[in-house]
Amino acid sequence: MPELPEVETLRRQLSPVLTGTRVLDVVVHDARLCEPLPVGELEAALLGRVVLQIARRGKHLLFELGDGSWLVLHLRMTGNLLVVEQRSPRLRYERARFTFERRAERDECALAFCDPRRFGTAQVFPDRSRLLAWLEARLGPEPLSDRFDADILGAAIAGRRAPIKALLLDQRVLAGVGNIYADEALFRAGIHPARPACKLRRAELEALVSAIKAALEAGIEHQGASIDDFRHSDGRRGRFQDEFLVHRRLGQPCPRCGEKIRKERIAGRGTYYCRRCQPPPRARRRAAPADAPRGRPPRAR
């Protein structure tokens, strides 16, 4: 958290505000934000640059700058980006502030990077090719891309016995999906989160791809989920938490069958599902020892 829909919501909110602006000032309060890059180098790389566009790859926000370089922000677990007045007091948990000149309005605005747990990062890449190489080495396909289909998902999980929930959370398998949207997608597809990934049939892969896209699009439509720290760029809350089908609905009736929603720890994360709509995998039978007698044992006399 934030996941793809929350980051995409921020991208859509920030783009009309910051596209075309020039970076006037950069103040980093927490050097950990840009490590191992020294704070002074981050500031020097950004000052005076014009923001050409704001893009997204998985959970990363990508700011294209006028000199060909890119600023990459990753909010991690608790990060937020808030548009504030340039001279407003420092916010609680604020780790950095970027000030921009808006030429059309002839004024200034600022973007505060707030992060209670201090896991978020800021990086600068000198050109597009190095940025793309860095992203491709770490991220799987974009799930909302037209190219993402059952063939691509099937190839990514082929031969892997890990629970499908674990692989959906692996950013090298699929970019942008986290705990919320994995639970929602698996429910929509009728697949138990603990199913071994390699056991999914073709029809299930197709259903899962459609379900992933549907869950993410629903999250974007409702401007993200604010169950913990996530807020919009103006501080408002998202609405998707009011539309969850299973996530965070422990003990409540399944929207399809009425069975109570369950919760287990799967892939190291609290996982919500409906046992009736998402049948659990069958337990594997243990093989008998090679020297074990076959057939029924003789009756005692």
Side-chain angles (χ1 to χ4, degrees), residues 73-147:
L73 300 181
H74 195 335
L75 303 178
R76 300 289 178 182
M77 293 181 65
T78 59
N80 277 301
L81 293 172
L82 302 172
V83 175
V84 297
E85 294 294 330
Q86 190 269 333
R87 301 186 185 280
S88 64
R90 179 177 172 181
L91 301 178
R92 189 182 186 191
Y93 305 123
E94 183 176 319
R95 302 182 64 200
R97 182 171 295 203
F98 308 89
T99 302
F100 302 87
E101 177 189 29
R102 295 188 289 194
R103 296 176 181 177
E105 291 82 359
R106 295 184 179 181
D107 66 356
E108 300 173 4
C109 68
L111 186 66
F113 192 133
C114 300
D115 186 4
R117 300 191 67 177
R118 302 173 63 207
F119 291 150
T121 59
Q123 296 173 268
V124 174
F125 293 84
D127 53 59
R128 180 182 179 86
S129 62
R130 273 181 268 195
L131 168 66
L132 292 179
W134 185 85
L135 292 171
E136 292 305 313
R138 289 161 175 78
L139 300 178
E142 281 288 316
L144 294 181
S145 167
D146 293 338
R147 293 176 293 176

Side-chain angles (χ1 to χ4, degrees), residues 6-32:
E6 288 73 41
V7 177
E8 177 62 18
T9 296
L10 284 174
R11 187 196 70 78
R12 296 183 182 189
Q13 293 173 348
L14 294 176
S15 287
V17 176
L18 298 181
T19 300
T21 62
R22 184 169 61 91
V23 182
L24 287 180
D25 191 24
V26 179
V27 178
V28 178
H29 307 296
D30 181 0
R32 181 175 168 180

Side-chain angles (χ1 to χ4, degrees), residues 173-209:
V173 173
L174 192 60
V177 175
N179 203 37
I180 294 172
Y181 297 94
D183 282 356
E184 293 293 293
L186 288 166
F187 173 75
R188 287 170 182 260
I191 298 171
H192 194 282
R195 281 277 302 279
C198 62
K199 296 294 185 180
L200 296 184
R201 300 182 292 274
R202 174 72 187 192
E204 292 174 312
L205 289 173
E206 292 175 349
L208 182 54
V209 167

Side-chain angles (χ1 to χ4, degrees), residues 272-292:
Y272 300 81
Y273 67 96
C274 171
R275 187 178 176 88
R276 182 178 294 174
C277 295
Q278 299 166 268
R282 294 180 180 179
R284 296 179 64 189
R285 292 183 179 179
R286 294 184 178 180
D291 58 350

